[in-house]
Amino acid sequence: MELLRVAMPLVVPFRTSFGTQHTRDVLLVRVVTPEAEGWGECVALAEPVYSSEYVEGAQHVLRTHLVPRLLAAQRPDAAGVAVMLAGVRGHRMAKGALEMAVLDAELRATGLSLASRLGAVRERVPCGVSVGIADSVEQLCEWVSGYAEEGYLRVKLKIEPGWDVEPVRAVRERFADLPLQVDGNGAYTLDDAAALGALDAFDLLMLEQPLAADAVRDHARLAERLATPLCLDESITSVTAAVDAIELGACRIVNIKAGRVGGYLEARRIAEACALRDVPVWCGGMVETGLGRAANVALAATPGFTLPGDTSASARFYAQDLTEPFVMSDGRLDVPAGPGLGVTPLPAVLAQVTTAVERVRG
Ligand code: OSB
Ligand code: MG
């Protein structure tokens, strides 16, 4: 097992209610088995601002607690990884990265694609794009116009108190038919219900995670006051959390990010639980490199993912992706069909962006 850190420069700084990213500091997991190599990408950000996990913490828990547990097992298979790691509480992003690497190696050894393993029913997936907070409404409209011209099928605007009704109104006025949604990343409270209610005027597909991750009952209260459907992201950490949120009336749509829930296998179980309750889901993003993007596209191709996800092209974030780039055509990305993830890091690029390599033994 190897833990690698790569520094990926972003084409444009990405600002959300929790801060601005200029470079994506990514933790990768590389597993080498007698049969194959596998890659996992950890979605933890550099700082604990989206969730409590962060990249150094994830690397620490992998090195100290997770990888040793896995290497102590006789024949670690992907479906058993979560079970083996269940004694460690939380740290879902770190666990998810490890499971992803083992899954990739296992699939490469058998020649099966991740998409087939997850039960994909589509060969292409529709693309949405997440647009950060801009310096001005003019700049935001320029960005949106560029993405619309590129062919993105829906646009998500990041919002925060003070950057919500006016930018959304401006975008809606200029792009009357554009499928549009917004994401608050937990920056609001129930006291902001009036401002959030003003967003009902703009025909939004959904309002994503306006309140704090643990404010599930408040989301249910807010939902009663809004026409716009609520979608949860940060709050949905497991099948249990998803079912509870739905049954409480806290959301009508679920954003599924495999890393946030401990891996692609749990992500599929959440999609199944949502489908049983007629709740549409979509695949979120964490500014992944081509590795995580490949896996997200595979997940987005599975049943229940009926809304365009934050599965954008590589060029949305990276001038040079770590893998062969994901290129959009007709607003869609092809689902990789090769064994495992179907993509691997380009050796020259990997060498260029790697900032640290750590070998971990049992
Ligand atoms: O809340 O969906 C989010 C990026 C980093 C952390 C959280 C979020 C996001 C995004 C970008 O919105 C999604 C992407 O395109 O990768
Ligand atoms: Mg979100």
Side-chain angles (χ1 to χ4, degrees):
M1 293 269 185
E2 270 177 7
L3 305 177
L4 297 87
R5 291 279 284 282
V6 300
M8 300 281 295
L10 299 178
V11 289
V12 54
F14 185 55
R15 181 172 158 206
T16 59
S17 60
F18 54 74
T20 306
Q21 285 181 265
H22 296 83
T23 303
R24 185 72 170 96
D25 177 358
V26 188
L27 169 63
L28 301 178
V29 179
R30 176 172 171 258
V31 50
V32 181
T33 69
E35 298 86 24
E37 176 186 71
W39 288 92
E41 176 165 345
C42 182
V43 302
L45 302 181
E47 294 180 80
V49 288
Y50 161 79
S51 68
S52 63
E53 289 190 81
Y54 63 103
V55 69
E56 281 287 342
Q59 186 160 351
H60 183 274
V61 79
L62 276 158
R63 173 201 304 136
T64 313
H65 302 286
L66 302 179
V67 175
R69 278 172 199 246
L70 200 63
L71 294 179
Q74 287 302 79
R75 182 81 180 91
D77 75 324
V81 169
V83 179
M84 261 174 255
L85 304 179
V88 174
R89 305 301 185 199
H91 298 284
R92 291 184 166 89
M93 294 177 176
K95 290 174 178 174
L98 191 49
E99 184 192 81
M100 177 178 165
V102 173
L103 190 53
D104 184 32
E106 194 173 286
L107 292 168
R108 282 182 206 275
T110 62
L112 197 68
S113 70
L114 178 62
S116 349
R117 170 70 171 82
L118 297 177
V121 291
R122 283 174 283 276
E123 288 177 1
R124 287 156 65 70
V125 298
C127 300
V129 61
S130 175
V131 183
I133 294 168
D135 289 332
S136 66
V137 168
E138 282 63 41
Q139 183 183 59
L140 180 70
C141 287
E142 270 170 43
W143 285 346
V144 171
S145 161
Y147 293 130
E149 268 167 40
E150 282 181 59
Y152 281 101
L153 298 173
R154 73 96 171 111
V155 166
K156 165 171 127 179
L157 305 179
K158 290 295 196 177
I159 58 168
E160 66 181 1
W163 180 265
D164 40 41
V165 179
E166 288 323 308
V168 173
R169 181 197 311 282
V171 170
R172 177 48 86 213
E173 273 172 7
R174 280 186 229 188
F175 307 92
D177 301 326
L178 182 68
L180 194 63
Q181 61 194 63
V182 295
D183 185 358
N185 284 114
Y188 294 86
T189 70
L190 210 47
D191 293 340
D192 300 309
L196 294 170
L199 295 172
D200 279 344
F202 306 118
D203 190 24
L204 301 177
L205 291 167
M206 70 192 82
L207 164 56
E208 178 180 347
Q209 196 75 44
L211 314 179
D214 59 356
V216 175
R217 207 155 48 106
D218 274 357
H219 277 101
R221 290 190 182 110
L222 180 63
E224 288 176 0
R225 302 178 54 176
L226 301 183
T228 307
L230 290 188
C231 167
L232 289 176
D233 172 356
E234 285 89 327
S235 298
I236 307 299
T237 51
S238 62
V239 173
T240 306
V243 170
D244 287 357
I246 292 165
E247 301 292 336
L248 275 164
C251 65
R252 280 152 58 189
I253 302 170
V254 170
N255 166 336
I256 300 185
K257 291 177 182 169
R260 195 193 61 225
V261 304
Y264 285 87
L265 303 180
E266 181 75 359
R268 269 307 308 158
R269 289 189 285 267
I270 293 177
E272 281 167 15
C274 291
L276 278 174
R277 293 163 178 81
D278 288 322
V279 169
V281 305
W282 54 279
C283 181
M286 290 292 286
V287 193
E288 285 90 347
T289 74
L291 296 170
R293 202 162 293 278
N296 285 346
V297 167
L299 179 64
T302 66
F305 286 77
T306 52
L307 294 163
D310 283 342
T311 44
S312 39
S314 294
R316 158 66 184 95
F317 292 114
Y318 304 115
Q320 172 67 68
D321 206 339
L322 194 53
T323 63
E324 289 296 340
F326 281 82
V327 179
M328 188 169 65
S329 69
D330 296 325
R332 288 171 174 80
L333 290 181
D334 289 335
V335 179
L341 297 172
V343 295
T344 46
L346 300 168
V349 179
L350 183 64
Q352 199 179 8
V353 297
T354 299
T355 56
V357 183
E358 176 185 359
R359 198 159 282 187
V360 188
R361 321 209 127 266

